[in-house]
Amino acid sequence: MHQKTQPTLFLGEVRIFSGEPPQTEIRSFTVSHQSIVTGQSVTLSWQTGDAAEVILVGDGGVELNGRRVVAPVASSVYQLIATSELGTVSQSLAVIVDGIPLEPRIS
């Protein structure tokens, strides 16, 4: 006897993505004043997207979107790092104190 076989039916899921896949991003990282005199403070502000953790180097973990008031005593570079399973990104900005430029850096 010849036995008939039933066709195999596979059920699955199809996902269609348009545009770029999501990425960890720093949407903005700004400072209230780029140049100050000793004793003054500045506000660093940032907005991130799709980040799981945000670090302000030298200050540790910070909010995903936030601000921090700092009072540098010398010209300084501030670096913000955002990470997630989608990747890691960073941005830096400088604050000049008393008109003294930053030391050259090799990165």
Side-chain angles (χ1 to χ4, degrees):
M1 249 194 179
H2 195 305
Q3 189 175 12
K4 283 188 165 181
T5 59
Q6 295 293 323
T8 304
L9 179 62
F10 293 100
L11 296 177
E13 179 178 320
V14 175
R15 293 183 181 194
I16 299 173
F17 297 97
S18 63
E20 294 293 317
Q23 297 179 10
T24 303
E25 63 180 334
I26 297 174
R27 293 182 178 144
S28 68
F29 183 37
T30 60
V31 62
S32 57
H33 301 286
Q34 293 180 335
S35 182
I36 61 171
V37 297
T38 300
Q40 290 182 319
S41 62
V42 296
T43 301
L44 306 173
S45 302
W46 59 90
Q47 296 283 324
T48 65
D50 293 315
E53 179 181 22
V54 177
I55 297 168
L56 182 60
V57 174
D59 202 27
V62 294
E63 306 84 19
L64 300 181
N65 302 298
R67 61 183 60 214
R68 187 70 43 126
V69 176
V70 295
V73 295
S75 296
S76 303
V77 172
Y78 294 92
Q79 183 180 20
L80 190 73
I81 301 171
T83 63
S84 77
E85 70 278 354
L86 302 171
T88 299
V89 293
S90 70
Q91 282 188 14
S92 299
L93 52 82
V95 176
I96 304 301
V97 178
D98 295 330
I100 300 170
L102 291 163
E103 294 291 323
R105 292 184 342 165
I106 298 174
S107 57

